[in-house]
Amino acid sequence: MRPFTYERATSAQDAAAKAAAMPGARFIAGGTNLLDLMKLEIETPGHLIDVNGLGMDQIVETPEGGLRIGALVRNTDLAADKRVRKDYGVLTRALVAGASGQLRNKATTAGNLLQRTRCPYFYDVNMPCNKRKPGSGCGAIGGFSRQLGVIGTSEACIATHPSDMAVAMRVLDASVETMRPDGTTRAIPIAEFHKLPGQTPQTETALEQGELIISVALPKPTGGTHIYRKVRDRASYAFALVSVAAVIGRDGKGAVALGGVAPKPWRVQEADALLPKGAQAVSDRLFAEATPREDNAFKIMLAKRTIASVIAEAKG
Amino acid sequence: MTQGCGAISRRDVLKTSAAGAAIAGSLGTGSVAMAQAEPNAPPTAAVRMKVNGKQTSLTLDTRTTLLDALREHLKLTGTKKGCDHGQCGACTVIVNGRRINSCLTLAVMHEGDEVTTIEGLGTVGDLHPMQAAFVEHDGFQCGYCTPGQICSAVAVLEEIRAGIPSHVTEDIGAAPGMTTLEMRERMSGNICRCGAYSNIAEAMAQVAGVKA
Ligand SMILES: Cc1cc2nc3c(=O)[nH]c(=O)nc-3n(C[C@H](O)[C@H](O)[C@H](O)COP(=O)(O)OP(=O)(O)OC[C@H]3O[C@@H](n4cnc5c(N)ncnc54)[C@H](O)[C@@H]3O)c2cc1C
Ligand code: SF4
Ligand code: FES
Ligand code: FES
């Protein structure tokens, strides 16, 4: 690990201002992703700003009837919140499907959204990777791509976003609330928060230098059956090959988002509208422009079958 | 780390700590006591924690994980380093009542925290019920994963009692049951290379007072 200086932030704006003023400064929350990558020198911040003490660890009701989740709320606490369990079950289900009990006790809402890809070539510093080292090439294209993306990818990068939580937040139409270094705030719809790689896979989110996530807001609950189904290589403590988050009403209408297949939680509005028509129609639309590789083409079939089982479960 | 890398990192630190000083001057300093012994030495910071009921005070290279602080600085070598990347659970300790992977957290981030390691759960003459149950049920072979397994197991029972849902909880609207299925799922963050899993499950069931 490279040496770094460390400080505890005294306010959100102080944290954002310092992060913007110091090149190489990073926020640290739970640390479960950042420190992992720092040990491998994939991340090499020269200064860490600890945002744990800022009181951003509460879940409160919004005037609109939704919930506002503090950026520092731990994954365990978010999953266990009575209001989340009652009205946003897909979120609890996605959270408890991720990582381990120990990790969820540390992992935060903001950190989870910002965790970086698990592409094995991104992790192997001896391999080319456009995300880790822009312009160096992509080891995964033409390599072992079983875990990698089939849609939304580019010729520069085919990595997936590994978060389970983010897939549930996408289906719930969450918005990410931030503070910029000058103290102004904004809300970024989750649909626009994660960026597709294009020619710049190193740019992963809409955040600006120094911009701090303050909270994530969930709109008023919509009812319906909430399901998160994750398919992985072992029954627990493994990242998704494919996951499906869905909220489906009695009339068969609803919303569906996929994890494990794309650089961001994958949702297509026209595919939502096809839910009453069944899994084949939904899946055909979701994967209309897919560019699978030989190793990961199975994900399309796996996703379709997982969607089918989710629709069947929602029918009861 | 190669020598070449070391040279680069020292330069980086000098650059950033100079910038840090300038900003600290304009925006007010954070609450951490930073010390820089000699110009080329890596940055250090002070941290006070209560470890197994004892107040400790350390000044550490900021890079020191909680795991390394426990093992290398406090000589509490019960907690083990398996993967050092959050993937095995050997380093599990209980901080402020919650189990975490001590390898993926910095010691300096634990100012004022209460840390319980395997040494703090029980002693040879006065075992924690979970330790006694592991012995009784042969919940280990080589024993390397065991301190992490036991810290995790103790915390898992508390998590179920506290009503925290898991991946196998059928009705997340209701409190999870004290079942072996729940215990097994919640122990998935502790890998045992020797495969003592079924005996660990029996030990936990005994302490929880349910049938394995
Ligand atoms: C072995 C293992 C298995 C895992 N399995 C899964 C899994 O199955 N599913 C899953 O979804 N995840 C999984 N994870 C990932 C885990 O969920 C993430 O590591 C965790 O959510 C990151 O949160 P954190 O608070 O620890 O982030 P940190 O490591 O503290 O930060 C991550 C990033 O977010 C930035 N950041 C943090 N807070 C803010 C803020 N408020 N504003 C702006 N930027 C911020 C940091 O600068 C950093 O770049 C796994 C991790 C491990 C180690
Ligand atoms: S897929 Fe993306 S993250 Fe993986 S090696 Fe290629 S450029 Fe890097
Ligand atoms: S050593 Fe910490 S999880 Fe393996
Ligand atoms: S007892 Fe040997 S690794 Fe678990």
Side-chain angles (χ1 to χ4, degrees), chain B residues 29-47:
Chain B
T29 47
S31 53
V32 184
M34 303 282 304
Q36 195 116 33
E38 31 175 315
N40 284 346
T44 60
V47 62

Side-chain angles (χ1 to χ4, degrees), chain B residues 60-163:
Chain B
L60 300 167
D61 183 322
T62 51
R63 293 172 291 181
T64 314
T65 59
L66 178 59
L67 174 60
D68 287 340
L70 292 169
R71 287 183 54 85
E72 311 299 333
H73 296 266
L74 298 172
K75 307 295 175 203
L76 292 167
T77 52
T79 309
K80 299 292 185 262
K81 183 183 285 190
C83 64
D84 214 19
H85 285 280
Q87 298 173 355
C88 75
C91 65
T92 304
V93 298
I94 300 171
V95 177
N96 300 337
R98 292 182 151 209
R99 58 181 171 141
I100 65 166
N101 304 98
S102 61
C103 70
L104 282 190
T105 188
L106 296 171
V108 294
M109 294 175 75
H110 291 279
E111 176 69 24
D113 284 355
E114 293 197 17
V115 182
T116 304
T117 69
I118 189 72
E119 290 93 341
L121 280 180
T123 58
V124 176
D126 181 21
L127 294 179
H128 184 282
M130 192 64 80
Q131 289 172 317
F134 266 64
V135 173
E136 189 180 332
H137 291 272
D138 271 339
F140 49 86
Q141 288 177 43
C142 76
Y144 196 80
C145 71
T146 312
Q149 299 277 4
I150 292 177
C151 285
S152 209
V154 167
V156 159
L157 300 191
E158 288 304 316
E159 284 166 19
I160 298 175
R161 286 190 196 108

Side-chain angles (χ1 to χ4, degrees), chain A residues 130 154-156 196-202:
Chain A
N130 287 323
S154 72
E155 282 310 308
L196 293 181
Q199 288 312 302
T200 52
Q202 69 277 17

Side-chain angles (χ1 to χ4, degrees), chain A residues 26-36 43 51 56 71-72 74-75 94 97-100 103 106-116 118 162-166 207 211-214 230 232 237-240, chain B residues 85-88 104:
Chain A
R26 294 294 288 273
F27 303 122
I28 186 162
T32 60
N33 190 231
L34 186 58
L35 290 170
D36 189 6
E43 299 266 20
V51 293
M56 304 192 298
L72 270 288
R74 307 289 156 177
N75 287 178
S100 67
L103 288 160
K106 273 262 127 196
T108 64
T109 309
N112 192 314
L113 282 177
L114 291 169
Q115 63 175 298
R116 304 200 67 193
R118 292 280 163 170
S163 170
D164 290 297
M165 183 194 80
L207 292 181
E211 191 168 359
L212 179 75
I213 299 178
I214 302 292
K230 179 174 177 179
R232 43 186 160 175
Y237 201 22
F239 286 94
Chain B
H85 285 280
Q87 298 173 355
C88 75
L104 282 190

